[in-house]
Amino acid sequence: MDELFCPQCGMLKRRCKCRKRSIRQRNLELLKKVGYKEFLLPLFDTDDEIVLYKVLRPFREKPTEELDFLPSELASCLRKRGIGRLYPFQKEAMIRLMEGRDVVITAPTGFGKTEAFAVPMLWRALHGGKAMVFYPTKALARDQEEKIKFYASSLGLRAVRFDGDSGREERRAVLSGKCDIILTNPDMVDYHLRNTPAFRRICRELSFIAVDELHTYTGVLGSNMHYLVKRLSRFAEFQIACASATLSNAAEFAEELFDRDFVLVSGEHRKGTLHLIFRYTPSLYSAVREIVTALRNRKIIVFGNSYKSVETINLILRRHGLKSAIHKSGLPKEVREEVEAKFKRGEINIVVSTPTLELGVDIGDVDVVVSELVPYGQMIQRVGRAGRKGQESVGVVILREDDSISTYYRTKPEDYFKEEANGYVERHNEEVMKFQLISMCIEKPVRLEELDRQSAEIMQKLQAQGIVVEREGAFHPTAKAIELSRAFSFRGIGDAVKIYHDGKYIGERALPIAVKELFPGSILVHNGVRYRTVELDLKRLRAEVVELDYGNEITDPLYMTIPRIIEVEEEIEEPVNAVYCSIEINYLVHGYIERDVFDRERKAFHYLDEPVSYTFKTKGFLFSAPFPEPADYEDYYAGSFHALEHVIIETTDAITGGGSREMGGISVPEGDIFVYDASVGGSGLSKLLFKRLRRAFEISKTILESCDCGRVDGCPKCTYSYQCGNNNQPLNRIGALNIAEKVIKGVKRKTDWRKYTDVIEIRYFP
């Protein structure tokens, strides 16, 4: 019985406060050791463990390079803006771009990446030809508009913002060719390139394209951007400049995205002192509430990694009397702009945001950034929203006790600064390719020699469906193609389920994620209101919800996932024999669990009267893991492979940049493990992990062997996954660790992928 009681106070260990007192004391000692600041005291006076505290000092904060290398009119233009010197990366980027090279620029927020590409762009425009600057959002284009227009007008050039909010005069200036620089977004260019002949004529004069915030062009948006630039290149030859604050693989990603070679130019700088804190907590929501409450008089941005976490955090903060607001894509433009304006004016001082506010929109001074776990490069982008004028700022990274990667960084916090934020794209997303090839045919007939193998195969399918016709060696659109093109969305692919409350449309969720979030009985939070789904009709793409009273319940789906391989595209032999492939996934939701939002305690099981089924095509990879050494546990082999699948997917948060929520996995008792993109057509995430599998196994091994749970099945810190559709059963941590050790030592099996070209009768564990 002694092991149940604390030897110091004699209380039951689960009620003992000795450990909490010792954690709090260590936190306060760490604050004093690293650099005591009175305003930081509330962040350290906590029962949550402060794993790491670093004070990151300013460095290379002043520009050093003279302007004498520039033509006099360009140097004069910068001086009028108050810029008398440049940072070294700006000078190098300008020189390379003025030599005609394609360049990708990486540097922290607020150090002049815009000038680095804008000056050479203006130089090209002065010598004939037009330039186009792509911003991922209209808000960012508006934010940068004044600066670009200032530079352009100083040189006798005209810059025009061309997006859905542009007025008649601005549109006329673009379509009549009476502007030199077009500030726009990919959605606008996609639409007018396909539908407006006058715009296509303008595109024949393009000589320079700039792509700001390159890191946003991942997944489906990146797939579409790849083909949009390819479509533009059918009308003109141009050079490309890209800029990003976060990407670790910027050149590799730009080359994959645009299919050309790039020169990488980087700058590392910091203007103000940053206090970076890692807080390890059993509850994300309680930790955020405590931090925001303690610093409620400062201007704070809380970054969540998903709609669900952002909505839940905001709901909890408002329940506790804190004046917070949400900022996320999907909200009406006027709502987002109102939040930005109120925060800038100080009418609200707490904003809870998805990554939308990572971008360079001016929202005024920010003192504190609190964030869910993201890679270091992305975290620096987020905390770059604070301290932009050189003042001291605070960045808090929340490490969740129930998250295996958070636990990994708790034991090896310095590894956090080594991991990368990587861009990823799946260029051969068939759903994207179909619409993009239709667009190409509408814009200008497509000759067969223009197409690679995959594009030619898609074009032949379109021809068989009567969407395009071939005449004189070129493909032309039919009326059916024109009709299909009207339904195209540049930002997403596939269908979305519309959500209705009392007959009124309140929002939508894209498939396939909608199946896991809008099944009958599910609880969702939307714009600060809790709802329960009462009906999901996938044929009509409609969900009916009712409003819920106050409560702390959330729901997790119980489901099966059944794979079928369509085509193998690539095979590797190290560290395992694995195949990357086109794959068909069938989701079958058959029930759900209700949990408490704070401690995730299970409250109830529910089974659906009728399962919800949805099938989609995507990309993923398959490998056959070596069997662990024999051991006498129930469901030993199935549990070992299932646990390994969970941990490998969780490692993607360190390897790919927080992508585990956008991926799925399947294991079978025979040792075959699938990892796939949880999006229609594929996003490129699984391909990025496929290329970095050795690192995934190394991190998995560390997580499994360092966890202190001592349990055979593991725990939320090592093997459990809240995405698991089988209620985290069966799992075996010991067997999974043995498999990871074997793989790292070079033990492998041949993967028999051909048996999955049909749906087979076997136990699958999602």
Side-chain angles (χ1 to χ4, degrees), residues 52 54-59 106-111 113 213 215 244-248 267-278 301 303 305 355 357-360 366-388 393-398 416-421 657:
L52 178 140
K54 278 195 171 190
V55 181
L56 304 179
R57 306 291 182 186
F59 66 95
T106 63
T109 300
F111 281 89
K113 292 187 295 295
E213 307 288 0
H215 58 278
S244 174
T246 65
L247 286 175
S248 303
E268 294 187 11
H269 308 268
R270 184 176 299 111
K271 284 184 179 176
T273 298
L274 169 65
H275 298 270
L276 185 62
I277 299 164
F278 288 9
I301 298 180
F303 281 107
N305 291 344
L357 279 183
E358 287 179 10
L359 306 181
V366 179
D367 302 309
V368 181
V369 170
V370 182
S371 173
E372 284 194 79
L373 179 62
V374 290
Y376 178 57
Q378 190 176 357
M379 184 62 192
I380 290 300
Q381 169 88 348
R382 289 182 173 184
V383 297
R385 307 302 282 145
R388 297 189 74 168
S393 58
V394 179
V396 183
V397 181
I398 303 294
Y416 179 73
F417 302 95
K418 302 174 186 175
E419 303 297 356
E420 302 176 337

Side-chain angles (χ1 to χ4, degrees), residues 639-693:
S640 299
F641 297 126
H642 192 196
L644 183 65
E645 170 228 314
H646 280 187
V647 183
I648 283 178
I649 290 175
E650 293 302 318
T651 66
T652 59
D653 285 340
I655 294 172
T656 66
S660 65
R661 293 175 185 82
E662 300 165 39
M663 299 176 73
I666 307 163
S667 65
V668 302
E670 288 73 19
D672 297 329
I673 295 176
F674 287 87
V675 177
Y676 61 88
D677 298 326
S679 59
V680 175
S683 65
L685 261 174
S686 63
K687 180 185 282 186
L688 190 60
L689 183 59
F690 178 73
K691 293 178 178 179
R692 291 162 171 78
L693 261 181

